Amino acid sequence: MKIKFSALEYTREDSFQKAEYEFDGNEESGWKIYRNNEIFLSLNKGYKLLKSVACGVCSTDLDRRFLPFPLPQITGHEVLAEDSEGKRYVVEINDTYQARGVEEDNFCKLGIPTHSPSRMVLGIDRLPGGFGKYILAPKNAIVSIGKVPEKVAILTEPFAAALQAIIASPPQDGQRVAVLGPRRLGSLLIAALYLFRKQQNLNFEIIAIARRAEPLKLTKQLGSDREINLQNISIEKLTKEFDIVYDTTANPQGFEIALKLAKKEVHLKSTNGLEVCGIKNMTALVVDELSILPYSKENLEFHWQNDTWKNETVYISPLLRNVLEISNKLSFSPEFSEFPEFWNRDPFKNKLPRFDIAIAQNIQEIDTIIRPFQNSEESLVRPRGAILVYGNINENPLLNFIQSGGILKSSRCGNFHLALKL
């Protein structure tokens, strides 16, 4: 099968250019993608050809040039598409072994397929996205919209991402939780919190916080119990007012405000590739769904609420090698020159090549742990693992928050089936 079409590609210069595309192949034997008559991608079996019907625009699209993925590209990942029979679907964006229905790697087998380093991402990393006339979608990533209205179905991807924040940082009875910066994703997070509270029969307060009145009108309709306009109240009067603050501002200044407002936990949901509190790799932290916590014996066992990980391996900063002694764990302090051969040793050989937990002493070490190797998108810590901070309080707002007992969590993509069900 051959399909030819013209599309606008997004470029590193924050502009668009026209390109000619051709998809040649089929679901069983694989596909060749040609761009301007030259081979662009070769795909193995497991991809279904769909026609784009509509595609949403999110902050990731607007800030795409800041992300560490190749450009130019046909962007767009909030896709509503149809097959040759006119049946309509939404498409999960991660192109993994599991999504293609082929032999799985260790990330798939351990229940984190969307973190496989071999994945591509629809409309974000290489795989042409929904702003083109056609897409090639991994067959197991295609989800029928059922009776969900089409304009609502387009929001499945960001709504699923909003739900993922609640799965990672679930509110408890009696808590006050705040969504900071409720624009596109933040408004959906308000709706997700409202539905989660109703479904789980919980009793917590949902507060929307913004700098303008207009977004707060929408959040009230979507389920917030209280709205706070920061034009009418100083941030100092809200210091440590909320048990969980979900930061959806995609703004370094917004993140620092979230640290002030939270009693115990900040959940970082949106980033734009910029440096935040001295961490250059904060977007990568969110991509890997990592957490940052204060060092303690209890936090050595950190895992997401419904995960069953058993933390066995710990990376200790060389600066702390002679300071910390950890029992009941396999601890290592390798030099970076020992990688990647280090992963071929026990207990990592033929297993997930990551530590469960890492312990750092300062911001620079946290940054290095998140992305230690140049031109590599791999962390020293496994996805959904944690970096523990051991050291003295300094003037860094994030370290001050962590070392006073605070927790930073993050999340990204979510479950489309769960989102459509809600």
Side-chain angles (χ1 to χ4, degrees), residues 45-249:
K45 66 178 183 178
Y47 295 86
K48 188 176 181 68
L49 179 71
L50 297 176
K51 184 177 181 180
S52 294
V53 175
C55 190
V57 182
C58 91
S59 294
T60 301
D61 298 308
L62 301 178
D63 294 319
R64 175 64 178 82
R65 65 194 182 281
F66 297 117
L67 302 182
F69 306 118
L71 285 173
Q73 184 190 20
I74 304 174
T75 53
H77 57 277
E78 300 175 356
V79 185
L80 176 67
E82 66 180 13
D83 62 17
S84 58
E85 298 175 354
K87 188 174 180 180
R88 297 200 163 179
Y89 306 88
V90 287
V91 182
E92 294 185 324
I93 68 175
N94 289 286
D95 174 12
T96 66
Y97 290 103
Q98 189 176 87
R100 296 190 295 273
V102 296
E103 185 178 352
E104 299 183 345
D105 63 3
N106 282 335
F107 288 82
C108 296
K109 293 173 182 175
L110 291 169
I112 47 173
T114 61
H115 290 282
S116 172
S118 67
R119 76 184 183 280
M120 293 189 288
V121 185
L122 179 72
I124 296 175
D125 180 9
R126 291 166 288 172
L127 196 64
F131 294 134
K133 190 173 182 179
Y134 294 92
I135 61 171
L136 290 171
K139 63 180 184 180
N140 291 338
I142 298 169
V143 184
S144 172
I145 65 172
K147 295 181 180 179
V148 175
E150 291 180 359
K151 287 185 178 180
V152 177
I154 294 170
L155 297 173
T156 303
E157 193 278 332
F159 186 64
L163 279 173
Q164 186 78 341
I166 299 169
I167 291 169
S169 298
Q172 307 296 320
D173 268 331
Q175 290 188 332
R176 283 184 293 177
V177 302
V179 176
L180 183 63
R183 295 177 295 168
R184 292 176 292 272
L185 181 59
S187 294
L188 291 171
L189 187 46
I190 293 284
L193 284 164
Y194 173 81
L195 292 167
F196 174 82
R197 181 175 64 183
K198 185 176 180 180
Q199 183 190 60
Q200 300 294 320
N201 195 28
L202 294 172
N203 181 25
F204 55 82
E205 187 179 13
I206 304 168
I207 301 98
I209 304 176
R211 289 194 178 277
R212 296 183 296 112
E214 289 80 3
L216 298 177
K217 295 175 184 177
L218 179 59
T219 60
K220 189 170 186 177
Q221 296 176 48
L222 290 173
S224 60
D225 302 305
R226 184 156 58 100
E227 300 78 40
I228 296 176
N229 187 336
L230 290 178
Q231 292 182 338
N232 302 330
I233 188 171
S234 68
I235 292 169
E236 285 65 30
K237 290 186 177 180
L238 298 172
T239 300
K240 297 194 180 301
E241 277 287 306
F242 309 103
D243 297 281
I244 305 172
V245 177
Y246 300 92
D247 176 24
T248 66
T249 62

Side-chain angles (χ1 to χ4, degrees), residues 313-318 330-334 336 355 357-359 369 380:
T313 59
V314 179
Y315 170 81
I316 301 177
S317 158
L330 298 172
S331 57
F332 304 86
S333 296
F336 289 114
F355 295 98
I357 298 287
I359 304 173
I369 288 166
L380 285 186

